[in-house]
Amino acid sequence: MSQFIHLLYVPTMNCNLKCRYCYLGDMTGENACTKGYLETLEYAVEKFRSAHVIPFNISLHGGEVTTLSPDAFRSLVAYISKYYELNRSLLQENGFKVGTPHIKTNLYQIDKHLDAIKEFDVSISGSLDLPLSLHEKYRVTKGGKGTLDTIMKNIELLRALPNKKKVSATIFKEHFDHLDEIVHDIRFLADHTCLDMNAFNFMIGFAYGNEVDYEVQLTPLSETDQEKLYERMHEAYEGSDLEKGLNESWFAEFTPAYCTNCDNCGEKFFLLERNGDIYSCVRGQGHPEFFYGNIYEDTVETILANAKTKIFIQHNAVGFPEECGKCEYLHLCKTGCPFVKSVYKSGKSYTCLLQKKLYKNGTYEEIKPNFTYWYLKKNHPEIANDYRQEIIPENSLKDLIRRDKKLQMVYDKTAFVLSVNGVDYPLESQILKDKRDIIYINPDTALTLYIKKEIMDALADYPVYNTLYIQLLSGDTVVYGDEQREKQAHVMTHQIYKYALDMDSTDREGFYRVDMAPLIRLYANSISKVSPNNLFVTTGALRDYHYWKQKNNGFYHINALNLPFQNIEFMYFDMHDDDLNE
């Protein structure tokens, strides 16, 4: 079975600009590499395919891909174009839309490659700073010169090309402080350039920490400011010709279609550098924690395993916030980008409030039953069971109990707890539990039964007449009654009135306490030493309701024929601790 991946290829780390907040910092520069620009991509794709790993998307990233020579650039986009044609049927059959070659570029030298861009229908995603007045301040050449005039001229050159062309803008607090200018400049670009501003993308900047050497350390937006950005754009463009983009593309980075919303992005997204190194993505580029291996040196299986494992580790390193477990949008957000979470040392997305606004205003798939449990089973397995929600089929015994509040009291899993040498075992009905607990005891075992005080009042018209009802069954079987049914032998029924429970002391707030060890020892000769014995606990009032329900509801009678009360099974060794240790 094939695995399909999104592959970013970085044919060069060289860049002609020195943007003041570039996530690559000083890593931009042509590294010494003996591999050809096209050679590594061809080798990687073939090696992936031989292992049944199929790129459904191949995009060119950097560095800055337009710093390549025209011949090198052409060879790459020609290869990607041919790859899509050769694999069109395979990709479409597996639900993927087949596009054309795509590049991420700063647009500064794109004029060198217009012929190849037109010939191979290359789609373009450029980068600008908004407002444009800050572009000259933050997006400069390595010599510190402004770039906006050149980039705007190059954008005008693209007008003659039918290709898809859009831009994105990364927003920090310094940009946000000029919101009215941003609104103005978006309209300017829509009205006076060939850029498709309905395909425009906002990127929300974040702090990388001290490991990247910025000349200017920009300030990330607070979550409140992110919300204000979203609201201001809606205020300005709802009802306009840009409303479609506003509701679809402008904030699409934070929607389920993007890498930030994967269960584990290490299963799908990969960045390949020209020297063969593979990282998670442009954010993880150059960071050892997000390095998956080298396509020339490692097997595909090793790279894939490293990818899943390293992303799993990063998600676990920051934990899973309790608020995310209760959030109605977890199935859409999936706690966000593991790289940014690792930087912020936070278990939730840095754009949490913004995403909630998007999801509330958009149309997305509904949450699937038990999603939180299955998501955590994959990413935080140690806490997954804390979020497991039982799916109850209609017209089942559990469904009947769910609809009958009195039966819910009969089957209450919190009502009785048996402490065995200090270890608690909450008691649950044997006809409902999905696992079997068997404890091992002997005459020296400390056995304490705790009874929730409220349960002694439940369904009792006069609680003073109510009793704690304890039944002991041997693991040995006998044949009972006219039906000649083989069942565990009944050993004893023991009742304790509520008055006696009230008079006895307890060491647990909200619970009565009964020492069970003497009672078990009293019947030690009557219980099995080779098969599990059964201890059942209920109250007289709950027991009476159970039998009333059996009498009046045939479905319940059939499904609760065996004793339904909370129970635990135990093996009994009629030897003291000293004897057992010999």
Side-chain angles (χ1 to χ4, degrees), residues 176-463:
F176 173 81
D177 288 340
H178 301 269
L179 263 183
D180 289 341
E181 285 187 63
I182 292 176
V183 169
H184 173 273
D185 289 348
I186 288 175
R187 172 48 62 192
F188 170 82
L189 293 171
D191 291 345
H192 299 286
T193 73
C194 61
L195 297 172
D196 180 2
M197 293 306 289
N198 269 306
F200 170 70
N201 300 120
F202 277 114
M203 318 292 281
I204 306 298
F206 56 91
Y208 267 75
N210 296 326
E211 59 202 57
V212 176
D213 182 21
Y214 294 113
E215 288 192 15
V216 176
Q217 185 76 42
L218 298 188
T219 310
L221 290 183
S222 68
E223 288 199 66
T224 300
D225 285 342
Q226 293 171 23
E227 286 186 291
K228 289 179 180 177
L229 170 67
Y230 178 83
E231 290 164 355
R232 182 69 179 90
M233 293 303 114
H234 275 264
E235 177 186 314
Y237 289 109
E238 272 187 4
S240 75
D241 58 324
L242 297 178
E243 184 173 26
K244 184 176 187 296
L246 170 69
N247 291 323
E248 295 180 8
S249 298
W250 288 15
F251 296 93
E253 181 189 3
F254 315 104
T255 58
Y258 270 64
C259 58
T260 53
N261 304 75
C262 289
D263 287 353
N264 182 314
C265 60
E267 297 174 327
K268 188 175 179 180
F269 292 89
F270 298 83
L271 179 143
L272 169 70
E273 292 186 349
R274 180 181 159 198
N275 65 359
D277 285 346
I278 295 181
Y279 289 91
S280 60
C281 59
V282 295
R283 291 176 172 178
Q285 206 172 348
H287 296 267
E289 302 88 348
F290 294 86
F291 174 67
Y292 298 159
N294 185 286
I295 196 66
Y296 289 111
E297 300 170 4
D298 299 301
T299 65
V300 171
E301 291 74 18
T302 296
I303 291 168
L304 296 181
N306 286 343
K308 287 179 64 174
T309 301
K310 290 201 170 189
I311 296 301
F312 174 87
I313 289 171
Q314 292 306 316
H315 279 301
N316 273 267
V318 292
F320 181 74
E322 186 175 343
E323 64 182 289
C324 293
K326 298 176 181 177
C327 181
E328 61 184 307
Y329 300 122
L330 177 64
H331 67 298
L332 303 174
C333 164
K334 299 179 182 176
T335 72
C337 172
F339 179 82
V340 183
K341 285 164 61 178
S342 72
V343 171
Y344 279 22
K345 304 293 186 288
S346 171
K348 70 173 188 174
S349 172
Y350 76 115
T351 55
C352 177
L353 294 182
L354 171 61
Q355 288 174 260
K356 286 180 178 179
K357 273 194 171 293
L358 285 170
Y359 303 146
K360 183 177 181 180
N361 294 339
T363 302
Y364 301 99
E365 63 176 337
E366 294 184 359
I367 189 170
K368 296 177 181 177
N370 249 349
F371 174 83
T372 302
Y373 167 75
W374 290 113
Y375 171 78
L376 292 174
K377 193 78 173 173
K378 190 171 187 177
N379 294 286
H380 299 273
E382 74 285 355
I383 62 170
N385 283 331
D386 295 340
Y387 292 86
R388 187 170 188 174
Q389 296 176 335
E390 186 175 19
I391 300 173
I392 301 176
E394 291 187 8
N395 301 318
S396 64
L397 175 60
K398 291 183 178 181
D399 185 42
L400 180 63
I401 294 169
R402 179 173 57 184
R403 291 186 278 109
D404 186 329
K405 291 184 178 179
K406 293 180 179 180
L407 277 182
Q408 290 173 21
M409 299 177 194
V410 173
Y411 292 92
D412 186 352
K413 294 188 291 186
T414 68
F416 307 103
V417 178
L418 185 67
S419 175
V420 183
N421 287 333
V423 178
D424 281 355
Y425 291 86
L427 303 188
E428 183 180 356
S429 171
Q430 64 175 354
I431 65 175
L432 296 182
K433 64 178 65 174
D434 56 7
K435 64 179 181 178
R436 186 181 186 188
D437 283 325
I438 300 178
I439 60 174
Y440 297 84
I441 66 176
N442 63 47
D444 299 323
T445 302
L447 296 171
T448 305
L449 178 66
Y450 291 96
I451 307 98
K452 191 165 65 173
K453 289 186 175 181
E454 291 88 347
I455 207 68
M456 294 303 300
D457 295 330
L459 306 186
D461 293 332
Y462 302 99

Side-chain angles (χ1 to χ4, degrees), residues 51-64:
H52 305 288
V53 178
I54 315 297
F56 65 86
N57 185 294
I58 302 175
S59 299
L60 298 178
H61 213 282
E64 172 53 44

Side-chain angles (χ1 to χ4, degrees), residues 18-269:
K18 190 171 185 179
C19 301
R20 303 298 192 186
Y21 50 84
C22 177
Y23 59 87
L24 289 175
D26 291 334
M27 287 190 287
T28 58
E30 189 59 83
N31 298 329
C33 182
T34 60
K35 305 298 181 183
Y37 295 107
L38 182 58
E39 175 189 348
T40 297
L41 180 60
E42 289 179 318
Y43 179 85
V45 169
E46 183 58 34
K47 188 169 181 176
F48 275 128
R49 285 185 57 86
S50 66
H52 305 288
V53 178
I54 315 297
F56 65 86
N57 185 294
I58 302 175
S59 299
L60 298 178
H61 213 282
E64 172 53 44
V65 66
T66 61
T67 61
L68 295 173
S69 70
D71 288 343
F73 181 88
R74 173 182 288 273
S75 67
L76 286 169
V77 296
Y79 170 79
I80 295 170
S81 181
K82 185 176 181 181
Y83 173 86
Y84 285 148
E85 284 305 310
L86 292 175
N87 294 280
R88 182 174 297 277
S89 295
L90 172 63
L91 296 177
Q92 289 177 338
E93 288 168 4
N94 285 275
F96 296 101
K97 183 180 179 181
V98 180
T100 62
H102 179 78
I103 62 171
K104 183 68 177 176
T105 172
N106 59 31
L107 297 167
Y108 191 66
Q109 285 183 283
I110 201 168
D111 56 308
K112 293 172 22 182
H113 307 291
L114 294 180
D115 290 342
I117 289 171
K118 182 177 181 180
E119 180 179 352
F120 296 101
D121 193 21
V122 178
S123 64
I124 299 163
S125 179
S127 298
L128 290 173
D129 261 34
L130 292 180
L132 295 174
S133 61
L134 292 183
H135 187 102
E136 290 292 80
K137 181 176 182 181
Y138 296 136
R139 300 183 72 82
V140 297
T141 67
K142 283 191 164 65
K145 294 181 179 180
T147 62
L148 184 60
D149 286 346
T150 298
I151 288 173
M152 294 303 292
K153 289 177 183 177
N154 285 341
I155 290 174
E156 185 58 29
L157 292 175
L158 296 175
R159 189 182 293 275
L161 276 60
N163 310 54
K164 294 179 181 178
K165 33 200 178 277
K166 67 172 187 176
V167 290
S168 62
T170 302
I171 304 296
F172 287 90
K173 185 68 166 62
E174 287 76 5
H175 304 93
F176 173 81
D177 288 340
H178 301 269
L179 263 183
D180 289 341
E181 285 187 63
I182 292 176
V183 169
H184 173 273
D185 289 348
I186 288 175
R187 172 48 62 192
F188 170 82
L189 293 171
D191 291 345
H192 299 286
T193 73
C194 61
L195 297 172
D196 180 2
M197 293 306 289
N198 269 306
F200 170 70
N201 300 120
F202 277 114
M203 318 292 281
I204 306 298
F206 56 91
Y208 267 75
N210 296 326
E211 59 202 57
V212 176
D213 182 21
Y214 294 113
E215 288 192 15
V216 176
Q217 185 76 42
L218 298 188
T219 310
L221 290 183
S222 68
E223 288 199 66
T224 300
D225 285 342
Q226 293 171 23
E227 286 186 291
K228 289 179 180 177
L229 170 67
Y230 178 83
E231 290 164 355
R232 182 69 179 90
M233 293 303 114
H234 275 264
E235 177 186 314
Y237 289 109
E238 272 187 4
S240 75
D241 58 324
L242 297 178
E243 184 173 26
K244 184 176 187 296
L246 170 69
N247 291 323
E248 295 180 8
S249 298
W250 288 15
F251 296 93
E253 181 189 3
F254 315 104
T255 58
Y258 270 64
C259 58
T260 53
N261 304 75
C262 289
D263 287 353
N264 182 314
C265 60
E267 297 174 327
K268 188 175 179 180
F269 292 89

